């Protein structure tokens, strides 16, 4: 991605005839930082401008126990059913808090982003849910609600744990006896991908002589005992962790866009990766652990195993819409932001919310529509994909010596947003 030796476009200014080469993107599903940053900006723009109305928004984050992480990673259908239960619990809580009832037709609305990664590139499926901080009644009137308290979060988290456990027991995944209970995940011992997924979830290694052991970590800061800022609205019940401490007011659209970028960010931030002298990959944690751990060290093969576990299955939608934001909701057209009048009168069919040139400009600060020298209009004159032609052009321009390094990478301020921004 962003490497000229794999193909590029030739663009030329009509005024001064200045030419520039623009490399292609790889468009991979899993963990490309460059493509991930492009998708992040595109998704955040779509949510802020076309989905989320100018109403107060609160983020609810739900983490699940380790066995459920493996179950979600290997069985997306069960994950979807559990997410439906979670949405029903939270939306019912909001409806009752607004002094309404479900039978009256009151609805909340949410957009859920399913993240599959943790700070150490471990597989950690969890839900980032952007909920309206209020409900719509059957007539389309919005009723805001007060922020949840710690007691409210304990109640919601406990209800989620009880109902999810009940569902898994009926589905045959959770087995109870008189003394204990366990999850029957039915893992095939010869399933290599299952071993990689299981090792990634439990922070262990799946390859090499250290297979089964935890990855090497570096502790460079003192152990943290005091509670962190923003952790007041956190509840932990039976392995479930529910957080609801981040919210945006109706007029804080820039803050909302930063929040959307945070929850749609790619798994890898290049500035947190480095190579040790012995060739091992060093991953800097975004936030130190409570025991002082700041870095995780992996061999190249172990690092590739972590990356393989992060790739989602084909055709698994990681963005879900609930309540008034769902496609079949009767209130959706009245809730989502209205398009400009000129677009309503002359609608233009388009597959994406931003064009390819607009993405390049917004994500990488590359403007291919305007000449960087004279400011004249720029147009595409050729698409170069033949390896022999690529090599000749790069050699003629003296760029063949830099083919080992991409000419563009995702901006650091986009790929590694800090929670302190909110």
């Amino acid at each position: 991605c962003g490497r000229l030796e794999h193909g590029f476009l030739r663009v030329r200014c009509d005024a001064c005839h200045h030419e520039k080469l623009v490399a292609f993107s790889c468009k991979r599903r899993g963990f490309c930082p460059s493509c991930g940053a492009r998708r992040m900006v595109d998704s955040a723009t779509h949510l802020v401008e076309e989905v989320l109305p100018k109403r107060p928004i609160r983020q609810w984050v739900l983490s699940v126990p380790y066995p459920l992480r493996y179950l979600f990673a290997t069985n997306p259908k069960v994950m979807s059913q559990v997410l439906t239960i979670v949405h029903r619990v939270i939306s019912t809580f909001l409806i009752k808090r607004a002094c309404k009832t479900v039978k009256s037709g009151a609805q909340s609305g949410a957009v859920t982003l399913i993240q599959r990664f943790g700070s150490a590139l471990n597989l950690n499926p969890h839900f980032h849910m952007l909920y309206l901080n209020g409900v719509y009644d059957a007539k389309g009137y919005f009723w805001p609600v007060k922020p949840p308290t710690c007691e409210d979060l304990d109640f919601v988290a406990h209800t989620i744990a009880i109902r999810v456990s009940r569902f898994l027991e009926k589905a045959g995944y959770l087995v109870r006896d008189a003394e204990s209970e366990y999850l029957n995940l039915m893992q095939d011992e010869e399933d290599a991908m299952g071993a990689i997924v299981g090792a990634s979830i439990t922070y262990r290694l799946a390859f090499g002589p250290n297979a089964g052991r935890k990855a090497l970590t570096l502790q460079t800061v003192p152990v943290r005992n005091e509670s962190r800022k923003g952790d007041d609205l956190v509840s932990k019940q039976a392995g479930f962790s529910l957080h609801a401490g981040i919210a945006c007011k109706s007029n804080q659209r820039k803050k909302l866009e930063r929040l959307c970028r945070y929850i749609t960010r790619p798994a890898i931030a290049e500035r947190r990766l480095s190579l040790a002298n012995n060739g091992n990959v060093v991953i800097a944690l975004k936030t130190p652990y409570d025991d002082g751990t700041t870095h995780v060290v992996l061999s190249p093969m172990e690092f590739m195993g972590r990356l393989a576990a992060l790739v989602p299955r084909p055709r698994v939608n990681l963005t879900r819409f609930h309540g008034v934001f769902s496609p079949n909701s009767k209130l959706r057209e009245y809730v989502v932001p209205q398009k400009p009048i000129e677009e309503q009168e002359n609608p233009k069919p388009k597959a994406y919310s931003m064009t390819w040139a607009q993405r390049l400009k917004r994500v990488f600060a590359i403007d291919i529509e305007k000449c960087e020298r004279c400011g004249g209009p720029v147009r595409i004159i050729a698409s170069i994909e033949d390896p022999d032609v690529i090599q000749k052009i790069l050699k003629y321009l003296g760029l063949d010596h830099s083919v080992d390094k991409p000419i563009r990478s995702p901006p650091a301020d986009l790929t590694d947003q800090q929670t302190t921004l909110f």
Side-chain angles (χ1 to χ4, degrees):
C1 188
R3 304 174 72 97
L4 291 174
E5 69 269 25
H6 294 298
F8 51 83
L9 293 179
R10 289 179 59 192
V11 296
R12 175 186 294 173
C13 175
D14 292 336
C16 65
H17 304 292
H18 172 65
E19 291 192 15
K20 184 166 59 175
L21 305 182
V22 182
F24 293 143
S25 298
C26 67
K27 298 180 177 64
R28 300 302 183 190
R29 289 188 293 115
F31 42 78
C32 173
S34 181
C35 288
R38 174 182 56 81
R39 295 190 187 99
M40 174 187 66
V41 173
D42 194 14
S43 300
T45 303
H46 171 68
L47 291 177
V48 173
E49 297 182 357
E50 301 183 19
V51 178
L52 299 175
K54 291 184 178 180
R55 301 293 186 185
I57 304 290
R58 180 171 296 274
Q59 179 189 218
W60 297 67
V61 183
L62 179 67
S63 299
V64 298
Y66 287 108
L68 282 187
R69 298 177 188 180
Y70 181 86
L71 181 62
F72 290 172
T74 56
N75 197 330
K77 183 178 179 181
V78 175
M79 179 180 64
S80 299
Q81 294 171 327
V82 170
L83 180 58
T84 301
I85 296 174
V86 173
H87 167 68
R88 188 181 299 120
V89 172
I90 298 178
S91 62
T92 302
F93 164 76
L94 294 175
I95 291 173
K96 291 183 177 180
R97 196 171 183 81
C99 300
K100 303 293 179 181
T101 61
V102 177
K103 293 183 178 180
S104 66
Q107 296 184 63
S108 181
V111 178
T112 300
L113 279 298
I114 303 173
Q115 284 192 1
R116 293 174 52 86
F117 56 88
S119 178
L121 290 186
N122 57 301
L123 182 60
N124 178 17
H126 57 286
F127 305 137
H128 284 259
M129 301 167 285
L130 298 181
Y131 267 89
L132 289 170
N133 209 21
V135 298
Y136 282 92
D137 59 18
K139 298 180 179 180
Y141 185 79
F142 183 75
W143 296 83
V145 299
K146 295 180 179 180
T149 62
C150 296
E151 292 75 14
D152 294 333
L153 253 64
D154 290 338
F155 171 76
V156 174
H158 180 72
T159 305
I160 291 175
I162 293 296
R163 295 189 181 181
V164 170
S165 300
R166 185 188 306 161
F167 162 75
L168 294 176
E169 184 180 6
K170 291 183 179 179
Y173 293 100
L174 182 64
V175 180
R176 298 178 185 265
D177 56 30
E179 298 181 355
S180 63
E181 60 185 30
Y182 65 92
L183 281 171
N184 180 17
L185 301 179
M186 298 175 291
Q187 178 180 356
D188 188 357
E189 295 181 356
E190 299 181 356
D191 185 6
M193 195 61 205
I196 295 175
V197 170
S200 179
I201 289 176
T202 57
Y203 299 86
R204 299 183 183 274
L205 305 178
F207 303 102
N210 296 322
R213 298 181 181 179
K214 288 196 173 184
L216 176 65
T217 59
L218 302 179
Q219 297 177 343
T220 60
V221 298
V223 177
R224 186 193 299 261
N225 294 322
E226 69 276 6
S227 60
R228 298 173 182 171
K229 183 180 179 180
D231 281 355
D232 295 332
L233 286 179
V234 177
S235 177
K236 296 183 179 180
Q237 302 284 336
F240 291 84
S241 176
L242 185 63
H243 181 271
I246 298 177
C248 300
K249 298 180 180 179
S250 57
N251 59 345
Q252 295 177 324
R253 304 300 286 181
K254 292 185 178 180
K255 180 179 179 181
L256 178 61
E257 185 171 359
R258 291 198 302 268
L259 179 59
C260 292
R261 288 186 178 186
Y262 175 76
I263 65 178
T264 58
R265 70 192 188 278
I268 298 178
E270 286 184 333
R271 70 175 183 176
R272 294 200 288 114
L273 298 179
S274 60
L275 285 176
N277 294 332
N278 59 357
N280 288 339
V281 180
V282 181
I283 305 173
L285 302 181
K286 190 179 66 173
T287 304
Y289 291 160
D290 291 339
D291 61 357
T293 300
T294 57
H295 296 79
V296 177
V297 182
L298 302 172
S299 69
M301 185 59 68
E302 294 164 356
F303 178 69
M304 293 177 64
R306 290 285 181 95
L307 296 183
L310 295 181
V311 180
R313 290 192 175 188
R315 294 173 294 278
V316 175
N317 189 4
L318 300 181
T319 304
R320 312 292 176 89
F321 299 90
H322 313 278
V324 295
F325 298 140
S326 59
N328 59 349
S329 174
K330 297 181 180 179
L331 296 177
R332 178 183 171 87
E333 61 177 328
Y334 305 103
V335 172
V336 299
Q338 298 295 323
K339 295 182 179 180
I341 299 178
E342 56 271 12
E343 292 189 16
Q344 296 179 9
E345 296 177 351
N346 300 312
K348 296 181 180 180
K350 55 182 180 180
Y352 303 97
S353 58
M354 285 191 292
T355 65
W356 174 69
Q358 289 173 336
R359 287 196 191 96
L360 282 177
K361 183 177 180 180
R362 190 157 186 167
V363 182
F364 305 105
I366 300 176
D367 190 356
I368 68 168
E369 297 179 324
K370 184 181 297 184
C371 180
E372 58 186 14
R373 290 188 176 181
C374 67
V378 174
R379 61 186 178 90
I380 300 174
I381 61 174
S383 176
I384 310 300
E385 304 178 32
D386 189 345
D388 295 333
V389 178
I390 292 173
Q391 186 177 6
K392 290 180 180 180
I393 294 178
L394 294 181
K395 186 175 182 180
Y396 174 77
L397 297 176
L399 299 175
D400 55 332
H401 63 278
S402 61
V403 296
D404 292 334
K405 183 178 180 180
I407 65 171
R408 69 170 182 257
S409 61
D413 61 332
L414 290 181
T415 59
D416 197 15
Q417 300 272 354
Q418 300 292 330
T419 55
T420 54
L421 292 176
F422 313 124

